[in-house]
Amino acid sequence: MITTFTLNAAIDKTYYVDGLPYGKVTRVPKVLSTPGGKGINVARVLHQLGAQVRASGFVGGKNGEYIAEELAVQGIANDFVYVKGESRLCLNMIDKQGVSTELLEPGPEVSVDGLGEMERKMAELAASSSLVVLSGSLPAGVPDDAYRRLIGIAKGAGAKVLLDTSKAPLLHGVEGLPYFIKPNEDEVKALLEAPEGTAEELSRQVRRLNARGITYVIVTLGAEGALAGVEGQLYRVRAPKLKAVNTVGCGDAFVAGMAYGLERGYDAIDCLRLATATGSANALTAEAGNVRMEDVEALKLQIDIETIQ
Ligand code: TA6
């Protein structure tokens, strides 16, 4: 069982518009709506890959009820902590050129009691999970070190933890030594207080994070693919150029592919291949956090992974 936690769950709305003239009225001809927030996207893609998965996190209000009910309709088990306030909407507006503009609401404020309840939920759910995925931003009221605390509980219950977040929650979260992180280049430098650097320096920094005890360190390099460090061994990963329909959720789909591979006991190269193909496949569908298996299978054959000595 893989359990994903989304502390700031959302309803993801995707608006397909002709254009977005600033200061003008825009009518929206096509709208897609689905439960979202990073961990929920990970759960949906894991379900599509065929994994046994459940989604947890904080939800609130009518939007929270919609998130739980719609996940059940999509066939995804869920076990949320309910808080006061309303779960947020995240808007992604895609114009005719395929340019994406996102508006992300802050989400409901969570009390100290709420975090305590989440810690109990983690202890309960991690005990029956081989992997736990913690994804996304933290809602107001939740301290920056929340992921570090939750990682400690999950590891104590015997689960491996994948952490996908940014800024202060990432800086604190790595102190809990998760099994996997997916920072961008700037975040790697911030984690090690390292200066701007060359490709060689970035490689050294990834190895230093591995040496600290984080088994998988995947540095996303945008269209250039990724640099992966796995227990000190580096890999350069490249995906084919695609005509993207919607790139929102590609990172979440990558994490889902990685979680699936790790749970099935794949080696590092097969995990990276599946994760990269799954992340790319997400770009080929209109909804965020959504893949077709035929795309994943076709893309797996086109992923280039170079072992760096
Ligand atoms: O990764 C895409 C996405 O998950 C959207 O679905 C949207 O809900 C947003 O990111 C939320 O990100 P955040 O880091 O604020 O949790």
Side-chain angles (χ1 to χ4, degrees):
M1 169 68 77
I2 302 173
T3 306
T4 73
F5 284 79
T6 312
L7 298 201
N8 208 352
I11 298 176
D12 274 358
K13 281 189 172 281
T14 310
Y15 289 173
Y16 284 89
V17 294
D18 292 340
L20 270 180
Y22 187 68
K24 294 270 181 351
V25 173
T26 299
R27 298 206 182 263
V28 182
K30 179 178 166 190
V31 180
L32 298 175
S33 209
T34 190
K38 291 186 163 51
I40 287 176
N41 290 342
V42 175
R44 187 168 40 248
V45 175
L46 274 166
H47 177 67
Q48 292 166 342
L49 292 174
Q52 216 197 336
V53 61
R54 77 184 146 211
S56 186
F58 289 121
V59 291
K62 292 282 174 211
N63 288 347
E65 282 171 27
Y66 167 84
I67 290 168
E69 284 165 15
E70 186 56 26
L71 278 174
V73 169
Q74 294 178 4
I76 299 159
N78 56 84
D79 189 345
F80 288 105
V81 171
Y82 287 79
V83 294
K84 289 205 183 90
E86 199 63 55
S87 285
R88 62 187 174 150
L89 293 182
C90 288
L91 304 184
N92 172 23
M93 293 154 284
I94 303 179
D95 71 14
K96 272 265 160 66
Q97 277 70 48
V99 176
S100 190
T101 304
E102 287 185 80
L103 291 175
L104 310 180
E105 292 184 8
E109 175 144 4
V110 173
S111 66
V112 179
D113 291 353
L115 182 58
E117 230 184 293
M118 184 56 70
E119 289 177 329
R120 284 189 288 281
K121 183 68 80 187
M122 173 61 82
E124 179 197 332
L125 299 184
S128 56
S129 307
S130 51
L131 285 183
V132 161
V133 180
L134 299 172
S135 291
S137 60
L138 296 175
V142 171
D144 287 340
D145 70 346
Y147 280 140
R148 182 182 55 72
R149 290 158 58 168
L150 291 169
I151 290 166
I153 296 167
K155 285 169 65 175
K160 280 183 181 150
V161 183
L162 283 68
L163 175 68
D164 181 20
T165 189
S166 58
K167 303 197 174 95
L170 174 65
L171 294 181
H172 289 277
V174 293
E175 289 167 18
L177 300 179
Y179 191 75
F180 163 102
I181 56 172
K182 187 174 77 59
N184 62 29
E185 248 182 291
D186 288 340
E187 285 160 353
V188 172
K189 287 171 200 148
L191 284 170
L192 294 169
E193 291 170 8
E196 288 278 314
T198 58
E200 288 71 35
E201 272 166 25
L202 181 65
S203 298
R204 262 198 300 279
Q205 288 158 6
V206 168
R207 284 198 167 109
R208 274 173 66 195
L209 288 166
N210 284 151
R212 240 192 224 182
I214 304 170
T215 306
Y216 275 79
V217 177
I218 316 282
V219 185
T220 48
L221 303 170
E224 296 307 310
L227 175 70
V230 186
E231 292 182 304
Q233 173 61 61
L234 295 182
Y235 303 92
R236 187 71 179 76
V237 185
R238 291 181 186 86
K241 298 256 178 295
L242 300 173
K243 193 165 170 358
V245 181
N246 181 3
T247 56
V248 171
C250 287
D252 308 331
F254 181 100
V255 174
M258 183 58 69
Y260 184 92
L262 289 172
E263 211 211 13
R264 295 285 157 121
Y266 290 8
D267 65 18
I269 289 185
D270 284 345
C271 279
L272 291 169
R273 189 185 313 287
L274 176 63
T276 310
T278 310
S280 297
N282 179 84
L284 299 177
T285 70
E287 265 181 42
N290 187 50
V291 298
R292 290 181 293 249
M293 277 315 292
E294 60 266 34
D295 291 336
V296 175
E297 291 303 332
L299 283 159
K300 264 171 37 184
L301 306 173
Q302 302 171 54
I303 306 302
D304 179 54
I305 302 178
E306 183 192 341
T307 303
I308 301 173
Q309 299 310 324

